[in-house]
Amino acid sequence: MTSLAERRSRIVRVRQMEHRVARAKLANAEAALANLDRISGRISGLRASLKPDAERTTGLALKSMAEMALRLDAAKGDLAAPIRGAEHDRVRSIAERLAAKTREEGAEKLREQALRSENYEQTRRADANRPFRKRPSTLGGAK
């Protein structure tokens, strides 16, 4: 390989690593978002389970349930900002991954172009180094 093809191969390897890092960041962002969604779902489930028993509920139990409901509502409200942040990180990670993939594909095309050019030049040099041999003409017939 020529220095140009070797250089472009190194660039392709770097771009592949950048794409892998971007995919890993996207996976982490999606995992964080899924975790926050799971926590929000658990809070909603706990809030929904706070129903007083019609027969045996004391005033103190009702007060405790109401306080717990308020705390769960506050916790759900406090989760809204981190969920928006995680969604934003996920969207940003998707964009970074797409950009990294585009750069990787561009580098691969440049490497393939350099390899084609190198092969063409090798063939051209090999043809130029071949000795000239005069061939009999097929047009003129035998003399």
Side-chain angles (χ1 to χ4, degrees):
M1 266 198 281
T2 64
S3 62
L4 179 63
E6 289 172 354
R7 206 175 15 205
R8 289 189 176 167
S9 292
R10 285 192 300 270
I11 290 171
V12 166
R13 285 193 298 273
V14 169
R15 297 290 189 234
Q16 287 172 342
M17 286 301 297
E18 288 175 351
H19 185 231
R20 282 189 216 131
V21 167
R23 278 192 320 221
K25 284 182 181 179
L26 176 60
N28 288 340
E30 287 178 343
L33 181 60
N35 188 32
L36 288 172
D37 284 339
R38 193 170 40 254
I39 290 170
S40 177
R42 286 183 13 213
I43 289 174
S44 296
L46 286 173
R47 174 71 171 91
S49 70
L50 289 175
K51 295 180 183 172
D53 186 14
E55 294 176 4
R56 296 177 289 178
T57 303
T58 63
L60 186 59
L62 281 175
K63 181 181 175 188
S64 296
M65 284 184 205
E67 183 181 344
M68 180 61 77
L70 285 175
R71 288 184 181 191
L72 289 172
D73 289 340
K76 184 147 176 118
D78 291 344
L79 269 180
I83 288 174
R84 278 194 310 272
E87 288 171 347
H88 176 35
D89 288 345
R90 181 179 171 272
V91 169
R92 186 178 39 82
S93 295
I94 288 172
E96 287 176 3
R97 188 194 68 79
L98 289 174
K101 182 65 177 170
T102 302
R103 286 191 306 269
E104 179 185 0
E105 289 171 352
E108 287 174 355
K109 286 179 184 177
L110 288 174
R111 181 189 60 182
E112 290 170 4
Q113 180 183 359
L115 289 173
R116 279 193 309 269
S117 175
E118 179 182 327
N119 288 337
Y120 172 75
E121 289 298 322
Q122 282 179 346
T123 304
R124 201 171 66 91
R125 281 191 299 272
D127 288 346
N129 289 335
R130 215 175 298 136
F132 177 73
R133 293 191 182 140
K134 193 169 187 178
R135 296 183 185 156
S137 175
T138 58
L139 297 176
K143 286 189 177 181

